[in-house]
Amino acid sequence: MTRSVSIPRSEIDFRFSRSSGPGGQHAQKTDTRVEAVFDVEASAALTPVQKRRVVARAGPVLRAVAQDERSQWRNRELATERLVETLREALRVPRPRRPTKPTKASVERRLEQKRRRSGVKRLRRPPPG
């Protein structure tokens, strides 16, 4: 999954049901829709810190559904990929923001623009008197 985390397949529960939409007899008789469920808090593969991060960002139970293909096996692969992607995104540590200062030239350009605009508005005023 990632360099530091790998989830055993035994921790992912699969539920199967019939896909929605048209499809004739095949869709009415086969359970090709797959829902992959991963219980974050019950996982032995994640450290307590990782569990807290995932629960805070994605919730205590991750779900992914696939019903794109005719094959249950292929839908199982798709659901697993989607689950892994969700987990990878939830585990990602955001890079800290480093505040930056505007350059001297950009500050000068801004002030010059303000002076120019101020002059334009001053010329629009009626003459004093």
Side-chain angles (χ1 to χ4, degrees), residues 82-128:
R82 290 172 187 169
L83 191 75
V84 165
E85 192 52 45
T86 304
L87 190 57
R88 186 177 289 137
E89 190 59 36
L91 281 171
R92 195 171 56 80
V93 181
R95 213 181 294 140
R97 183 190 176 280
R98 292 197 172 71
T100 57
K101 280 191 339 194
T103 64
K104 201 163 191 164
S106 69
V107 170
E108 195 49 54
R109 277 194 305 270
R110 191 182 108 258
L111 293 175
E112 179 55 38
Q113 183 61 43
K114 284 170 73 89
R115 276 192 287 273
R116 220 178 281 129
R117 188 79 184 143
S118 163
V120 166
K121 289 188 170 198
R122 200 178 317 112
L123 290 173
R124 287 184 191 152
R125 287 188 206 145

CSV table of all heavy atoms in Angstrom, one decimal, residues 82-128:
chain,number,residue,atom,x,y,z
A,82,ARG,N,-9.8,1.2,-4.7
A,82,ARG,CA,-10.4,2.5,-4.2
A,82,ARG,C,-10.3,2.6,-2.7
A,82,ARG,O,-10.0,3.7,-2.2
A,82,ARG,CB,-11.9,2.5,-4.6
A,82,ARG,CG,-12.1,2.6,-6.1
A,82,ARG,CD,-13.5,2.4,-6.5
A,82,ARG,NE,-13.6,2.4,-7.9
A,82,ARG,CZ,-14.7,2.1,-8.6
A,82,ARG,NH1,-15.8,1.7,-8.0
A,82,ARG,NH2,-14.6,2.1,-10.0
A,83,LEU,N,-10.4,1.5,-2.0
A,83,LEU,CA,-10.2,1.5,-0.5
A,83,LEU,C,-8.8,1.9,-0.2
A,83,LEU,O,-8.5,2.7,0.7
A,83,LEU,CB,-10.5,0.1,0.1
A,83,LEU,CG,-10.6,0.0,1.6
A,83,LEU,CD1,-12.0,0.7,2.0
A,83,LEU,CD2,-10.6,-1.4,2.0
A,84,VAL,N,-7.8,1.3,-0.9
A,84,VAL,CA,-6.4,1.6,-0.6
A,84,VAL,C,-6.1,3.1,-0.9
A,84,VAL,O,-5.4,3.7,-0.2
A,84,VAL,CB,-5.5,0.7,-1.5
A,84,VAL,CG1,-4.1,1.2,-1.5
A,84,VAL,CG2,-5.5,-0.7,-0.9
A,85,GLU,N,-6.7,3.6,-2.0
A,85,GLU,CA,-6.5,5.0,-2.3
A,85,GLU,C,-7.0,5.9,-1.3
A,85,GLU,O,-6.4,6.9,-0.9
A,85,GLU,CB,-7.1,5.3,-3.7
A,85,GLU,CG,-6.7,6.6,-4.3
A,85,GLU,CD,-5.2,6.9,-4.4
A,85,GLU,OE1,-4.5,5.9,-4.8
A,85,GLU,OE2,-4.8,8.0,-4.0
A,86,THR,N,-8.2,5.6,-0.7
A,86,THR,CA,-8.8,6.4,0.3
A,86,THR,C,-7.9,6.4,1.6
A,86,THR,O,-7.7,7.4,2.2
A,86,THR,CB,-10.2,5.9,0.7
A,86,THR,OG1,-11.0,5.9,-0.5
A,86,THR,CG2,-10.9,6.7,1.8
A,87,LEU,N,-7.4,5.2,1.9
A,87,LEU,CA,-6.6,5.0,3.1
A,87,LEU,C,-5.2,5.8,2.9
A,87,LEU,O,-4.8,6.4,3.8
A,87,LEU,CB,-6.3,3.5,3.3
A,87,LEU,CG,-5.7,3.2,4.7
A,87,LEU,CD1,-6.5,3.7,5.8
A,87,LEU,CD2,-5.5,1.7,4.8
A,88,ARG,N,-4.7,5.7,1.7
A,88,ARG,CA,-3.4,6.4,1.4
A,88,ARG,C,-3.6,7.9,1.6
A,88,ARG,O,-2.7,8.6,2.1
A,88,ARG,CB,-3.0,6.0,0.0
A,88,ARG,CG,-1.6,6.5,-0.3
A,88,ARG,CD,-1.1,6.1,-1.7
A,88,ARG,NE,-0.8,4.7,-1.7
A,88,ARG,CZ,-1.2,3.8,-2.7
A,88,ARG,NH1,-1.9,4.3,-3.7
A,88,ARG,NH2,-0.9,2.6,-2.6
A,89,GLU,N,-4.7,8.4,1.1
A,89,GLU,CA,-5.0,9.8,1.2
A,89,GLU,C,-5.1,10.3,2.6
A,89,GLU,O,-4.7,11.3,3.0
A,89,GLU,CB,-6.2,10.2,0.3
A,89,GLU,CG,-6.4,11.7,0.1
A,89,GLU,CD,-5.3,12.4,-0.5
A,89,GLU,OE1,-4.6,11.8,-1.4
A,89,GLU,OE2,-5.0,13.5,-0.1
A,90,ALA,N,-5.8,9.4,3.4
A,90,ALA,CA,-6.1,9.7,4.8
A,90,ALA,C,-4.8,9.7,5.6
A,90,ALA,O,-4.6,10.4,6.6
A,90,ALA,CB,-7.1,8.8,5.4
A,91,LEU,N,-3.8,8.8,5.2
A,91,LEU,CA,-2.6,8.7,6.0
A,91,LEU,C,-1.5,9.8,5.6
A,91,LEU,O,-0.6,9.9,6.3
A,91,LEU,CB,-2.0,7.3,5.7
A,91,LEU,CG,-2.6,6.1,6.5
A,91,LEU,CD1,-2.0,4.8,5.9
A,91,LEU,CD2,-2.3,6.3,7.9
A,92,ARG,N,-1.8,10.4,4.5
A,92,ARG,CA,-0.8,11.4,4.0
A,92,ARG,C,-0.6,12.5,5.0
A,92,ARG,O,-1.6,13.1,5.4
A,92,ARG,CB,-1.2,11.9,2.6
A,92,ARG,CG,-0.1,12.7,1.9
A,92,ARG,CD,-0.6,13.0,0.5
A,92,ARG,NE,-1.8,13.8,0.4
A,92,ARG,CZ,-1.9,15.1,0.6
A,92,ARG,NH1,-0.8,15.8,0.9
A,92,ARG,NH2,-3.0,15.7,0.5
A,93,VAL,N,0.6,12.8,5.4
A,93,VAL,CA,0.9,13.9,6.3
A,93,VAL,C,1.1,15.2,5.5
A,93,VAL,O,1.9,15.3,4.6
A,93,VAL,CB,2.2,13.6,7.1
A,93,VAL,CG1,2.5,14.7,8.1
A,93,VAL,CG2,2.1,12.3,7.8
A,94,PRO,N,0.2,16.2,5.8
A,94,PRO,CA,0.3,17.4,5.0
A,94,PRO,C,1.7,18.1,5.3
A,94,PRO,O,2.1,18.1,6.5
A,94,PRO,CB,-0.8,18.3,5.5
A,94,PRO,CG,-1.2,17.7,6.8
A,94,PRO,CD,-0.8,16.3,6.8
A,95,ARG,N,2.3,18.7,4.3
A,95,ARG,CA,3.5,19.4,4.4
A,95,ARG,C,3.3,20.7,5.2
A,95,ARG,O,2.3,21.4,4.9
A,95,ARG,CB,4.1,19.7,3.1
A,95,ARG,CG,5.6,19.7,3.1
A,95,ARG,CD,6.2,20.0,1.7
A,95,ARG,NE,5.9,19.0,0.7
A,95,ARG,CZ,5.6,19.3,-0.6
A,95,ARG,NH1,5.5,20.6,-0.9
A,95,ARG,NH2,5.4,18.4,-1.4
A,96,PRO,N,4.1,21.0,6.2
A,96,PRO,CA,3.8,22.3,6.9
A,96,PRO,C,4.0,23.5,6.0
A,96,PRO,O,4.9,23.5,5.2
A,96,PRO,CB,4.8,22.2,8.1
A,96,PRO,CG,5.9,21.3,7.6
A,96,PRO,CD,5.3,20.4,6.7
A,97,ARG,N,3.2,24.5,6.2
A,97,ARG,CA,3.3,25.7,5.4
A,97,ARG,C,4.3,26.6,6.1
A,97,ARG,O,4.3,26.8,7.3
A,97,ARG,CB,1.9,26.5,5.4
A,97,ARG,CG,2.0,27.7,4.6
A,97,ARG,CD,0.7,28.5,4.8
A,97,ARG,NE,0.8,29.8,4.0
A,97,ARG,CZ,1.5,30.8,4.4
A,97,ARG,NH1,2.1,30.8,5.5
A,97,ARG,NH2,1.5,31.9,3.6
A,98,ARG,N,5.2,27.1,5.2
A,98,ARG,CA,6.2,28.0,5.7
A,98,ARG,C,5.9,29.4,5.2
A,98,ARG,O,5.8,29.7,4.0
A,98,ARG,CB,7.6,27.6,5.1
A,98,ARG,CG,8.1,26.3,5.7
A,98,ARG,CD,9.5,26.1,5.5
A,98,ARG,NE,10.0,25.0,6.3
A,98,ARG,CZ,9.7,23.7,6.0
A,98,ARG,NH1,8.9,23.5,5.0
A,98,ARG,NH2,10.1,22.7,6.7
A,99,PRO,N,5.6,30.3,6.1
A,99,PRO,CA,5.2,31.7,5.7
A,99,PRO,C,6.3,32.4,5.0
A,99,PRO,O,7.5,32.2,5.3
A,99,PRO,CB,4.8,32.4,7.0
A,99,PRO,CG,5.3,31.5,8.1
A,99,PRO,CD,5.6,30.2,7.6
A,100,THR,N,6.0,33.1,3.9
A,100,THR,CA,7.0,33.8,3.1
A,100,THR,C,6.7,35.3,3.1
A,100,THR,O,5.6,35.7,3.3
A,100,THR,CB,7.0,33.3,1.7
A,100,THR,OG1,5.7,33.5,1.1
A,100,THR,CG2,7.4,31.8,1.6
A,101,LYS,N,7.8,36.1,3.0
A,101,LYS,CA,7.6,37.5,2.9
A,101,LYS,C,7.6,37.9,1.4
A,101,LYS,O,8.3,37.4,0.6
A,101,LYS,CB,8.8,38.2,3.6
A,101,LYS,CG,8.7,38.2,5.1
A,101,LYS,CD,9.6,39.1,5.8
A,101,LYS,CE,10.9,39.5,5.1
A,101,LYS,NZ,11.9,40.1,6.0
A,102,PRO,N,6.8,39.0,1.1
A,102,PRO,CA,6.8,39.5,-0.3
A,102,PRO,C,8.2,40.1,-0.6
A,102,PRO,O,8.8,40.6,0.3
A,102,PRO,CB,5.7,40.5,-0.3
A,102,PRO,CG,5.4,40.8,1.1
A,102,PRO,CD,5.8,39.7,1.9
A,103,THR,N,8.7,40.0,-1.8
A,103,THR,CA,10.0,40.6,-2.1
A,103,THR,C,9.9,42.1,-2.1
A,103,THR,O,8.8,42.7,-2.2
A,103,THR,CB,10.4,40.2,-3.6
A,103,THR,OG1,9.5,40.7,-4.5
A,103,THR,CG2,10.5,38.7,-3.7
A,104,LYS,N,11.0,42.7,-1.9
A,104,LYS,CA,11.1,44.2,-1.8
A,104,LYS,C,10.5,44.8,-3.1
A,104,LYS,O,9.8,45.8,-3.1
A,104,LYS,CB,12.5,44.6,-1.6
A,104,LYS,CG,12.7,46.0,-1.0
A,104,LYS,CD,14.1,46.2,-0.5
A,104,LYS,CE,14.1,47.4,0.3
A,104,LYS,NZ,15.2,47.6,1.2
A,105,ALA,N,10.9,44.2,-4.3
A,105,ALA,CA,10.4,44.7,-5.5
A,105,ALA,C,8.9,44.7,-5.6
A,105,ALA,O,8.2,45.6,-6.1
A,105,ALA,CB,11.0,44.0,-6.7
A,106,SER,N,8.3,43.5,-5.2
A,106,SER,CA,6.8,43.4,-5.3
A,106,SER,C,6.1,44.4,-4.4
A,106,SER,O,5.1,45.0,-4.7
A,106,SER,CB,6.4,42.0,-5.0
A,106,SER,OG,6.5,41.7,-3.6
A,107,VAL,N,6.7,44.7,-3.2
A,107,VAL,CA,6.1,45.7,-2.3
A,107,VAL,C,6.2,47.0,-2.9
A,107,VAL,O,5.2,47.8,-2.9
A,107,VAL,CB,6.9,45.7,-0.9
A,107,VAL,CG1,6.5,46.9,-0.1
A,107,VAL,CG2,6.7,44.4,-0.2
A,108,GLU,N,7.3,47.4,-3.6
A,108,GLU,CA,7.5,48.7,-4.2
A,108,GLU,C,6.5,48.8,-5.4
A,108,GLU,O,5.9,49.9,-5.6
A,108,GLU,CB,9.0,48.8,-4.7
A,108,GLU,CG,9.3,50.2,-5.1
A,108,GLU,CD,9.0,51.2,-4.0
A,108,GLU,OE1,9.3,51.1,-2.8
A,108,GLU,OE2,8.3,52.2,-4.4
A,109,ARG,N,6.3,47.7,-6.2
A,109,ARG,CA,5.4,47.8,-7.3
A,109,ARG,C,4.0,48.0,-6.8
A,109,ARG,O,3.2,48.8,-7.4
A,109,ARG,CB,5.4,46.5,-8.1
A,109,ARG,CG,6.5,46.3,-9.1
A,109,ARG,CD,6.3,45.2,-10.0
A,109,ARG,NE,6.1,43.9,-9.4
A,109,ARG,CZ,7.1,43.1,-9.1
A,109,ARG,NH1,8.3,43.3,-9.4
A,109,ARG,NH2,6.8,41.9,-8.5
A,110,ARG,N,3.6,47.4,-5.7
A,110,ARG,CA,2.3,47.6,-5.1
A,110,ARG,C,2.1,49.0,-4.7
A,110,ARG,O,1.0,49.6,-5.0
A,110,ARG,CB,2.1,46.6,-4.0
A,110,ARG,CG,0.6,46.5,-3.5
A,110,ARG,CD,0.5,45.6,-2.3
A,110,ARG,NE,0.2,46.4,-1.1
A,110,ARG,CZ,1.1,46.8,-0.2
A,110,ARG,NH1,2.3,46.3,-0.2
A,110,ARG,NH2,0.7,47.5,0.9
A,111,LEU,N,3.0,49.6,-4.0
A,111,LEU,CA,2.9,50.9,-3.5
A,111,LEU,C,2.9,51.9,-4.6
A,111,LEU,O,2.1,52.9,-4.6
A,111,LEU,CB,4.1,51.3,-2.5
A,111,LEU,CG,4.0,50.5,-1.2
A,111,LEU,CD1,5.3,50.7,-0.4
A,111,LEU,CD2,2.8,50.8,-0.4
A,112,GLU,N,3.7,51.7,-5.7
A,112,GLU,CA,3.7,52.6,-6.8
A,112,GLU,C,2.3,52.5,-7.5
A,112,GLU,O,1.8,53.6,-7.9
A,112,GLU,CB,4.8,52.1,-7.8
A,112,GLU,CG,4.9,53.0,-9.1
A,112,GLU,CD,5.0,54.5,-8.8
A,112,GLU,OE1,5.8,54.8,-7.8
A,112,GLU,OE2,4.4,55.3,-9.5
A,113,GLN,N,1.7,51.4,-7.6
A,113,GLN,CA,0.4,51.2,-8.3
A,113,GLN,C,-0.6,52.0,-7.4
A,113,GLN,O,-1.5,52.7,-8.0
A,113,GLN,CB,0.0,49.7,-8.3
A,113,GLN,CG,-1.3,49.5,-9.0
A,113,GLN,CD,-1.3,49.9,-10.5
A,113,GLN,OE1,-0.4,49.8,-11.2
A,113,GLN,NE2,-2.4,50.6,-10.8
A,114,LYS,N,-0.5,51.9,-6.1
A,114,LYS,CA,-1.5,52.6,-5.2
A,114,LYS,C,-1.3,54.2,-5.4
A,114,LYS,O,-2.3,54.9,-5.4
A,114,LYS,CB,-1.2,52.3,-3.8
A,114,LYS,CG,-1.7,50.9,-3.4
A,114,LYS,CD,-1.3,50.5,-2.0
A,114,LYS,CE,-1.9,51.2,-0.9
A,114,LYS,NZ,-3.2,50.6,-0.4
A,115,ARG,N,-0.1,54.6,-5.5
A,115,ARG,CA,0.2,56.0,-5.8
A,115,ARG,C,-0.4,56.5,-7.1
A,115,ARG,O,-1.1,57.6,-7.1
A,115,ARG,CB,1.7,56.3,-5.7
A,115,ARG,CG,2.2,56.5,-4.3
A,115,ARG,CD,3.6,57.1,-4.4
A,115,ARG,NE,4.6,56.1,-4.8
A,115,ARG,CZ,5.2,55.3,-4.0
A,115,ARG,NH1,5.0,55.3,-2.7
A,115,ARG,NH2,6.1,54.4,-4.4
A,116,ARG,N,-0.3,55.7,-8.1
A,116,ARG,CA,-0.8,56.0,-9.4
A,116,ARG,C,-2.3,56.1,-9.4
A,116,ARG,O,-2.9,57.0,-9.9
A,116,ARG,CB,-0.3,55.0,-10.5
A,116,ARG,CG,0.0,55.6,-11.8
A,116,ARG,CD,0.5,54.5,-12.8
A,116,ARG,NE,1.9,54.2,-12.5
A,116,ARG,CZ,2.4,52.9,-12.4
A,116,ARG,NH1,1.6,51.9,-12.6
A,116,ARG,NH2,3.7,52.7,-12.2
A,117,ARG,N,-2.9,55.1,-8.7
A,117,ARG,CA,-4.4,55.1,-8.6
A,117,ARG,C,-4.9,56.3,-7.8
A,117,ARG,O,-5.9,56.9,-8.2
A,117,ARG,CB,-4.8,53.7,-8.0
A,117,ARG,CG,-6.3,53.5,-8.0
A,117,ARG,CD,-6.7,52.9,-9.3
A,117,ARG,NE,-8.1,52.7,-9.3
A,117,ARG,CZ,-8.8,53.0,-10.4
A,117,ARG,NH1,-8.3,53.4,-11.5
A,117,ARG,NH2,-10.1,52.8,-10.3
A,118,SER,N,-4.2,56.6,-6.8
A,118,SER,CA,-4.6,57.7,-5.9
A,118,SER,C,-4.5,59.0,-6.8
A,118,SER,O,-5.4,59.8,-6.6
A,118,SER,CB,-3.6,57.8,-4.8
A,118,SER,OG,-3.7,59.0,-4.2
A,119,GLY,N,-3.5,59.1,-7.6
A,119,GLY,CA,-3.4,60.3,-8.5
A,119,GLY,C,-4.6,60.4,-9.4
A,119,GLY,O,-5.1,61.5,-9.6
A,120,VAL,N,-5.0,59.3,-10.0
A,120,VAL,CA,-6.1,59.3,-11.0
A,120,VAL,C,-7.4,59.7,-10.3
A,120,VAL,O,-8.1,60.6,-10.8
A,120,VAL,CB,-6.3,57.9,-11.6
A,120,VAL,CG1,-7.6,57.7,-12.3
A,120,VAL,CG2,-5.1,57.5,-12.5
A,121,LYS,N,-7.6,59.2,-9.1
A,121,LYS,CA,-8.8,59.6,-8.3
A,121,LYS,C,-8.8,61.1,-7.9
A,121,LYS,O,-9.8,61.8,-7.9
A,121,LYS,CB,-9.0,58.7,-7.1
A,121,LYS,CG,-9.4,57.3,-7.5
A,121,LYS,CD,-9.7,56.5,-6.3
A,121,LYS,CE,-10.3,55.2,-6.8
A,121,LYS,NZ,-11.1,54.5,-5.7
A,122,ARG,N,-7.6,61.6,-7.6
A,122,ARG,CA,-7.4,63.0,-7.2
A,122,ARG,C,-7.8,63.9,-8.3
A,122,ARG,O,-8.5,64.9,-8.2
A,122,ARG,CB,-6.0,63.2,-6.7
A,122,ARG,CG,-5.9,64.5,-5.9
A,122,ARG,CD,-4.5,64.8,-5.4
A,122,ARG,NE,-3.7,63.6,-4.8
A,122,ARG,CZ,-2.7,63.2,-5.5
A,122,ARG,NH1,-2.2,63.7,-6.6
A,122,ARG,NH2,-2.0,62.1,-5.0
A,123,LEU,N,-7.4,63.5,-9.6
A,123,LEU,CA,-7.7,64.3,-10.8
A,123,LEU,C,-9.2,64.3,-11.1
A,123,LEU,O,-9.7,65.2,-11.8
A,123,LEU,CB,-6.9,63.8,-11.9
A,123,LEU,CG,-5.4,64.1,-11.9
A,123,LEU,CD1,-4.7,63.4,-13.0
A,123,LEU,CD2,-5.1,65.6,-11.9
A,124,ARG,N,-9.9,63.3,-10.6
A,124,ARG,CA,-11.4,63.3,-10.9
A,124,ARG,C,-12.2,64.2,-10.0
A,124,ARG,O,-13.3,64.5,-10.3
A,124,ARG,CB,-11.9,61.8,-10.7
A,124,ARG,CG,-11.5,60.9,-11.7
A,124,ARG,CD,-12.2,59.5,-11.5
A,124,ARG,NE,-11.6,58.5,-12.3
A,124,ARG,CZ,-11.6,57.2,-12.0
A,124,ARG,NH1,-12.0,56.8,-10.8
A,124,ARG,NH2,-11.0,56.4,-12.8
A,125,ARG,N,-11.6,64.6,-8.9
A,125,ARG,CA,-12.3,65.5,-7.9
A,125,ARG,C,-12.6,66.9,-8.5
A,125,ARG,O,-11.7,67.3,-9.3
A,125,ARG,CB,-11.5,65.6,-6.7
A,125,ARG,CG,-11.4,64.4,-5.8
A,125,ARG,CD,-10.8,64.8,-4.5
A,125,ARG,NE,-10.2,63.6,-3.9
A,125,ARG,CZ,-9.1,63.5,-3.2
A,125,ARG,NH1,-8.4,64.7,-3.0
A,125,ARG,NH2,-8.6,62.4,-2.7
A,126,PRO,N,-13.6,67.5,-8.1
A,126,PRO,CA,-13.9,68.9,-8.6
A,126,PRO,C,-12.8,69.8,-8.0
A,126,PRO,O,-12.3,69.5,-6.9
A,126,PRO,CB,-15.2,69.2,-8.1
A,126,PRO,CG,-15.5,68.3,-7.0
A,126,PRO,CD,-14.7,67.0,-7.2
A,127,PRO,N,-12.5,70.9,-8.7
A,127,PRO,CA,-11.4,71.8,-8.1
A,127,PRO,C,-11.9,72.4,-6.8
A,127,PRO,O,-13.1,72.7,-6.6
A,127,PRO,CB,-11.3,72.8,-9.2
A,127,PRO,CG,-12.4,72.6,-10.2
A,127,PRO,CD,-13.0,71.3,-9.9
A,128,PRO,N,-10.9,72.7,-5.9
A,128,PRO,CA,-11.3,73.3,-4.6
A,128,PRO,C,-11.8,74.7,-4.8
A,128,PRO,O,-11.3,75.4,-5.7
A,128,PRO,CB,-10.0,73.2,-3.8
A,128,PRO,CG,-8.9,73.0,-4.8
A,128,PRO,CD,-9.5,72.4,-6.0
